[in-house]
Amino acid sequence: MEKIMDNKPKKQTDKQPSAEPPYKLLSLRTGKPKDWAAGIPGVTNAIKSLINDKALIRGGKALFKMNQFDGFDCPSCGWPDPDDERSPIAEYCENGAKAIAEEATSKRITANFFKENSVYELSQLTDYEIGHLGRLSEPMYLPKGGTHYEPISWDNAFAKIAEHLNKLESPDNAAFYTSGRTSNEASFVYQLFVREFGTNNFPDCSNMCHETSGFTLASVTGIGKGTATLKDFYDTDIIMIIGQNPGTNSPRMLSALEKGKKNGAKIIAVNPLPEAGLMKFRDPQKISGVLGKGIQLADLHLPVRINGDLALLKAIEQLLLHFEKETPGKVFDQEFINNKTVGYEDLIKQIESYDLDELAKASGILKEDIQKAAEMLAYKNRIIICWGMGLTQQPNGVDIIKEVLNLLFLKGSIGKPGAGSCPVRGHSNVQGNRTMLINNHPSQEQLDKLEEVFGFNPPRENGYDVVDTIKAMNNGKVKVHFSMGGNFLSATPDTTYTANGLRQLDLSVSVSTKLNRTHLIHGKEALILPTISKSEIDMVNGEHQYTSAENAMGIVEWSKGVLKPISDKLINETHIVCRMAKATLGSKSVVDWDRYMNSYDTVRDDIEKCIPGFENYNIRVKQKGGFYLPNGAREKNFKTKEFGDRVPFSLTSLPENKLTEDEYLMATVRTHDQFNTTIYGLNDRYRGVYNERRVVFMNKNDIEKAGFKSGDKVDLYNYDDNTERIAPLFIIVEYPIPEKNTVTYFPETNVLVSIHNTVKGSNMPASKHIKIKIKKHNPDIYDKIDGTLYKRSNS
Ligand SMILES: Nc1nc2c(c(=O)[nH]1)N[C@H]1C(S)=C(S)[C@@H](COP(=O)(O)OP(=O)(O)OC[C@H]3O[C@@H](n4cnc5c(=O)[nH]c(N)nc54)[C@H](O)[C@@H]3O)O[C@H]1N2
Ligand SMILES: Nc1nc2c(c(=O)[nH]1)N[C@H]1C(S)=C(S)[C@@H](COP(=O)(O)OP(=O)(O)OC[C@H]3O[C@@H](n4cnc5c(=O)[nH]c(N)nc54)[C@H](O)[C@@H]3O)O[C@H]1N2
Ligand SMILES: [Mo]
């Protein structure tokens, strides 16, 4: 592959690779935000992605096998596939097609490419440009003081890892990250190796995603998962969608919503933004959907203020209480409340104590509209509440989700058909990773089981999560960081601080399909280990292996790739773990790693021994549509630590959310053209933003009050914990968003998220609740950033 930069600096060691994409603007075009999702542009854009990414033949072949009973699981989101009928042509969405285009591209990055381009030079590219260089095709090593990655053999790579791990003072000086795509099989062997090695340091993408949901659900209902299934959506009365953007992030959910609506369901959308996918849907896989006007989705949109959800939910509960008093027993499910809950009287007292006007004001929603929501809910009891990052990434996200559960419990809307909780998971196997024990705070029973089955003593103390790993890298406690997928640098908060931590590592290792910025902000030595993707054939001993994953609703299903791997030097993730384990633990290990490498059936047999719900795993996983994992809460069989078979009503308190005159709250979201840190394209079509990512959405009145106009260039600042954080050069876009609220895209604004701005209880970065100031762009700002960039204090 050719060189990508002409003006190669003479002495590259002077230059620090950049932890952020370059601060440069493209040429922004804006249009009216769309009020409907999918349809013809969805299909044509899917095909366009394949062409642009040189993936037409490979990608086209893959698309037809995606999400089929005998195919592979879409690498994009975790929304489940229907278990009755699947479209014979294709069961995918526009963003699933983009995901395939990304990984099925026929472009490759070779050793020669790394020879031609230094790490520093690569860091000067945008994330979009880095992603479009192609697939990683052989293992690469960056020696101490090196400026360029060099090829390395797999054996030598594993020897390097073993050498570093074995010379650590304590196994706790290493951390093992997981992004949510890793299969059940690879996840299980991964955690097994890490625990036999001796640590529970398992930061994972859940720590930035649904940890808040898992934590809250586990403590309130006894299981850290939601209860609603796909079937529940088809026959229900009300679906509330809070802080989640299905049109972009789980487009296949729109088909379920459409089916529900046809059967009479009403939808209430709670979101500061009028997201297209919450408004109307045209099914791209049906002629009627493509040509017709589309189906109305939300019957009521409540443009809540950022972090106004708790006040809104309390207001709804107060109004429902009025109805209940008028018609006792008709609004609240008194039977469920009596038999299955504790704390009802206290909750009612609290609800009564609020002033409705104040709640309405805090939520940013008109009283009339809250009344409408309460009326829609009052005499219905088949209610599903879905939520996403809009709730989990709030500092008081645990309280907000507790209030969601209060509402469901009052209505008895749990553990019956057409009702329940639905945290909409992100990555395709993020839920399976946890079930497979990728968990920095495993239960003692889970560890006992590992000990019983394998005979080694797994470490018993909790390990580091993402935020604690970043702190530990900065204060020298973590020296080796291993990533199973993902893009740790760009996905995590406080980019400068995180980069500072990564640079102090002795060794950073990434198992990856594509190059990303984490490879460029590395430890003193670094390894890139390329692996096969979900769509590729995993051949072991001449036998086509399959893997399995658990979707967002707890169904385990198999997945079998269809494409020839992009290079014959790729190794699958399970083998990478086994070979790393053999190299590191040697004859000390009590696990037969070769057995696992020879057949994934044996991995599944051992999963069955250790984890409840996987009886006859190897047989049941091959059933059409897979199998459900047990979920007590779904049958009203609650098992909570404090209250046994009852669930508690929670008393939560309202947040303060005080802002000064020049402060705004900022939520970071995804565009329609990205998958987390992977930037597929530069548009955010549904929101009417084209060819630019460095934009800040603001309310018209705020723009005027601050003396700006739409299109102005500004710099964004955050001053948490007395540190000045700067994200320079953004363009103001006037948008229908509540006053004092702003929205930007991540990863560009992660630099503004303090490592201390976390969710109470789950320790997740609160990346939808960032206090910012907005100032006119200062062209001299870069000197200031360079000056302060790497001098941040450790804490
Ligand atoms: N195409 C595509 N699909 C994806 C992903 C992707 O990046 N691209 N990522 C995957 C992953 S890992 C995940 S976790 C999911 C994420 O999917 P979502 O949960 O939909 O994630 P976000 O886009 O971060 O934001 C969700 C919504 O929260 C709203 N919001 C912000 N603040 C608040 C608030 O205070 N209250 C309320 N009610 N709403 C608020 C925003 O306006 C936005 O619409 O998607 C998964 N699927
Ligand atoms: N400010 C802000 N920050 C956020 C969020 C937010 O809303 N706002 N969202 C958070 C959320 S919900 C999440 S889940 C995290 C995501 O954090 P991560 O999961 O760490 O990030 P991704 O961007 O999904 O990872 C992309 C990389 O994964 C690798 N990859 C892709 N497929 C495979 C595969 O099959 N195998 C392997 N080994 N590697 C693969 C590729 O190299 C690619 O570059 O980001 C979080 N960060
Ligand atoms: Mo996520």
Side-chain angles (χ1 to χ4, degrees):
M1 188 172 284
E2 74 287 2
K3 258 187 62 56
I4 49 169
M5 273 186 59
D6 301 326
N7 52 345
K8 195 160 158 179
K10 289 284 168 296
K11 212 175 140 214
Q12 286 145 9
T13 39
D14 294 347
K15 302 257 190 171
Q16 175 111 276
S18 169
E20 290 178 71
Y23 309 133
K24 68 178 184 200
L25 295 179
L26 304 167
S27 58
L28 168 69
R29 276 187 304 114
T30 53
K32 233 178 100 190
K34 300 267 182 298
D35 64 357
W36 58 273
I40 290 178
V43 178
T44 48
N45 280 315
I47 294 167
K48 247 199 289 182
S49 308
L50 296 184
I51 296 171
N52 291 348
D53 283 300
K54 295 203 177 153
L56 192 58
I57 296 173
R58 274 167 62 81
K61 180 175 172 195
L63 266 190
F64 289 103
K65 278 291 184 189
M66 193 149 93
N67 293 336
Q68 295 300 315
F69 291 115
D70 62 343
F72 66 96
D73 183 31
C74 175
S76 193
C77 74
W79 188 259
D81 307 309
D83 57 8
D84 42 2
E85 43 163 327
R86 293 188 189 174
S87 158
I89 310 171
E91 192 64 52
Y92 63 88
C93 69
E94 176 191 351
N95 278 337
K98 288 185 201 159
I100 282 301
E102 230 358 85
E103 66 173 50
T105 175
S106 49
K107 286 195 257 176
R108 303 193 307 171
I109 305 182
T110 58
N112 196 37
F113 173 83
F114 282 108
K115 194 172 162 197
E116 290 292 332
N117 298 286
S118 71
V119 174
Y120 170 77
E121 285 170 311
L122 291 169
S123 79
Q124 299 306 301
L125 299 176
T126 63
D127 293 338
Y128 173 74
E129 289 163 335
I130 291 176
H132 286 78
L133 294 171
R135 285 280 301 276
L136 294 161
S137 60
E138 56 186 298
M140 301 300 299
Y141 169 64
L142 188 73
K144 222 177 201 161
T147 53
H148 292 68
Y149 273 98
E150 301 164 1
I152 185 172
S153 71
W154 279 103
D155 279 339
N156 287 343
F158 292 123
K160 284 253 177 273
I161 297 173
E163 181 197 317
H164 276 277
L165 288 178
N166 285 327
K167 76 174 182 217
L168 292 175
E169 246 169 60
S170 148
D172 291 330
N173 296 141
F176 296 85
Y177 178 67
T178 316
S179 161
R181 295 196 184 193
T182 304
S183 68
N184 281 357
E185 292 76 4
S187 301
F188 183 79
V189 292
Y190 184 43
Q191 64 79 35
L192 192 63
F193 158 63
V194 172
R195 293 210 163 91
E196 195 183 13
F197 172 66
T199 182
N200 281 318
N201 288 344
F202 284 110
D204 68 0
C205 73
S206 284
N207 299 149
M208 300 179 270
C209 183
H210 269 293
E211 186 78 45
T212 311
S213 309
F215 174 85
T216 313
L217 287 164
S219 65
V220 176
T221 71
I223 175 166
K225 303 182 183 183
T227 63
T229 66
L230 206 45
K231 279 218 173 70
D232 293 321
F233 281 79
Y234 300 160
D235 200 5
T236 178
D237 296 320
I238 303 274
I239 304 168
M240 275 183 97
I241 305 171
I242 315 184
Q244 187 227 340
N245 181 18
T248 287
N249 296 325
S250 34
R252 285 177 300 124
M253 177 175 171
L254 300 182
S255 306
L257 296 178
E258 181 190 21
K259 214 162 162 181
K261 285 227 71 168
K262 282 201 176 137
N263 291 336
K266 296 261 186 280
I267 297 179
I268 303 175
V270 182
N271 198 307
L273 306 182
E275 304 283 30
L278 294 170
M279 301 303 153
K280 243 188 222 167
F281 174 50
R282 299 183 192 178
D283 188 342
Q285 292 180 25
K286 289 195 189 128
I287 298 295
S288 60
V290 175
L291 299 178
K293 286 210 173 101
I295 172 165
Q296 178 79 31
L297 289 174
D299 298 273
L300 180 66
H301 171 228
L302 302 175
V304 69
R305 235 184 226 138
I306 292 175
N307 202 267
D309 303 85
L310 192 55
L312 174 66
L313 289 162
K314 286 178 186 281
I316 291 175
E317 287 168 1
Q318 193 183 69
L319 292 170
L320 289 177
L321 180 60
H322 288 306
F323 287 117
E324 171 69 10
K325 284 184 176 160
E326 277 168 21
T327 50
K330 294 270 173 358
V331 176
F332 290 166
D333 184 338
Q334 295 296 347
E335 193 188 324
F336 179 82
I337 293 169
N338 281 332
N339 297 333
K340 284 288 172 189
T341 67
V342 290
Y344 175 67
E345 278 78 23
D346 290 341
L347 179 76
I348 295 302
K349 244 189 257 157
Q350 193 198 38
I351 294 175
E352 283 175 325
S353 73
Y354 291 115
D355 178 84
L356 187 63
D357 291 300
E358 273 171 28
L359 290 176
K361 199 170 149 226
S363 70
I365 307 289
L366 295 173
K367 247 187 349 189
E368 300 87 270
D369 286 336
I370 306 179
Q371 180 76 27
K372 276 186 207 153
E375 280 167 14
M376 286 168 73
L377 291 160
Y379 298 100
K380 303 282 194 243
N381 52 25
R382 293 187 309 166
I383 299 165
I384 298 173
I385 305 187
C386 309
W387 68 87
M389 299 299 102
L391 298 195
T392 62
Q393 297 176 341
Q394 298 292 338
N396 58 338
V398 170
D399 276 355
I400 308 176
I401 295 167
K402 282 184 173 168
E403 207 61 60
V404 165
L405 295 173
N406 281 346
L407 179 55
L408 288 174
F409 297 160
L410 285 171
K411 300 293 295 172
S413 285
I414 193 154
K416 66 170 157 217
S421 59
C422 181
V424 182
R425 302 275 162 177
H427 268 303
S428 51
N429 198 34
V430 58
Q431 193 151 312
N433 294 168
R434 271 300 160 91
T435 306
M436 292 299 114
L437 313 179
I438 304 266
N439 193 339
N440 67 304
H441 45 79
S443 73
Q444 294 305 313
E445 296 84 58
Q446 288 169 330
L447 297 174
D448 289 344
K449 203 76 202 163
L450 287 182
E451 184 166 346
E452 181 193 315
V453 172
F454 291 97
F456 67 87
N457 298 324
R460 294 283 168 169
E461 273 92 68
N462 287 351
Y464 296 134
D465 59 10
V466 162
V467 162
D468 290 342
T469 296
I470 296 169
K471 291 181 184 166
M473 292 188 311
N474 271 284
N475 60 31
K477 287 201 182 121
V478 161
K479 302 304 288 174
V480 175
H481 188 259
F482 184 98
S483 284
M484 186 56 93
N487 183 356
F488 192 84
L489 169 83
S490 302
T492 54
D494 225 345
T495 312
T496 310
Y497 180 67
T498 300
N500 191 47
L502 285 165
R503 289 188 175 109
Q504 291 176 53
L505 294 168
D506 288 339
L507 177 71
S508 52
V509 188
S510 294
V511 178
S512 309
T513 51
K514 302 285 287 274
L515 190 69
N516 65 48
R517 206 165 285 279
T518 300
H519 305 127
L520 311 176
I521 307 301
H522 48 78
K524 291 178 190 116
E525 292 170 74
L527 283 163
I528 302 175
L529 307 180
T531 191
I532 66 165
S533 66
K534 270 194 178 178
S535 52
E536 288 172 329
I537 297 168
D538 189 350
M539 200 63 94
V540 174
N541 295 336
E543 225 180 275
H544 190 164
Q545 299 284 330
Y546 62 91
T547 58
S548 52
E550 175 182 349
N551 68 32
M553 291 175 184
I555 301 168
V556 180
E557 206 181 351
W558 75 346
S559 171
K560 212 166 179 177
V562 294
L563 302 176
K564 188 170 172 290
I566 189 81
S567 148
D568 55 13
K569 288 190 185 149
L570 305 185
I571 298 188
N572 66 60
E573 291 181 347
T574 304
H575 278 213
I576 290 178
V577 175
C578 293
R579 288 178 64 180
M580 169 164 71
K582 282 171 48 163
T584 308
L585 305 171
S587 56
K588 280 190 313 205
S589 180
V590 297
V591 178
D592 187 350
W593 302 101
D594 287 320
R595 185 170 143 260
Y596 289 155
M597 283 171 68
N598 282 330
S599 156
Y600 299 173
D601 280 353
T602 63
V603 182
R604 284 183 287 266
D605 284 340
D606 285 354
I607 292 174
E608 181 176 332
K609 287 182 203 149
C610 297
I611 302 171
F614 286 87
E615 295 76 21
N616 295 321
Y617 194 177
N618 273 309
I619 294 168
R620 288 198 298 156
V621 73
K622 289 177 193 149
Q623 290 165 1
K624 194 174 166 192
F627 64 93
Y628 268 104
L629 287 175
N631 182 327
R634 193 175 282 154
E635 272 88 49
K636 287 204 207 62
N637 291 326
F638 304 114
K639 231 193 326 192
T640 64
K641 268 201 193 118
E642 268 180 89
F643 307 103
D645 59 356
R646 288 171 178 260
V647 286
F649 281 108
S650 310
L651 297 180
T652 63
S653 43
L654 288 166
E656 285 225 1
N657 283 334
K658 279 214 182 89
L659 295 171
T660 59
E661 183 72 27
D662 60 345
E663 274 177 342
Y664 304 83
L665 269 186
M666 177 177 83
T668 56
V669 302
R670 300 152 162 78
T671 70
H672 193 62
D673 265 359
Q674 76 185 83
F675 193 94
N676 302 336
T677 69
T678 299
I679 312 300
Y680 299 139
L682 300 166
N683 302 330
D684 194 7
R685 195 174 85 238
Y686 290 159
R687 299 194 186 108
V689 173
Y690 302 91
N691 204 36
E692 188 54 84
R693 294 183 48 83
R694 300 188 81 84
V695 294
V696 52
F697 292 147
M698 286 180 80
N699 177 287
K700 188 169 187 283
N701 295 339
D702 287 340
I703 298 176
E704 278 167 19
K705 264 190 229 159
F708 292 127
K709 47 187 197 323
S710 201
D712 276 359
K713 290 181 193 151
V714 292
D715 302 320
L716 311 179
Y717 294 77
N718 166 276
Y719 292 99
D720 286 358
D721 37 80
N722 290 324
T723 304
E724 183 172 62
R725 297 178 179 79
I726 310 171
L729 203 55
F730 281 73
I731 301 179
I732 294 180
V733 171
E734 183 189 313
Y735 207 80
I737 180 173
E739 281 180 34
K740 295 294 262 181
N741 286 183
T742 63
V743 156
T744 57
Y745 303 138
F746 92 98
E748 285 80 353
T749 43
N750 258 339
V751 69
L752 297 174
V753 186
S754 160
I755 193 76
H756 303 295
N757 178 14
T758 50
V759 181
K760 196 161 171 245
S762 68
N763 205 29
M764 274 186 32
S767 33
K768 301 248 184 308
H769 192 277
I770 304 140
K771 270 191 194 167
I772 60 163
K773 293 191 180 185
I774 305 175
K775 302 180 192 172
K776 185 172 177 290
H777 174 58
N778 169 9
D780 298 329
I781 195 88
Y782 307 111
D783 301 336
K784 193 168 175 181
I785 294 175
D786 276 345
T788 58
L789 203 51
Y790 307 111
K791 289 191 198 141
R792 292 276 313 288
S793 61
N794 293 345
S795 48

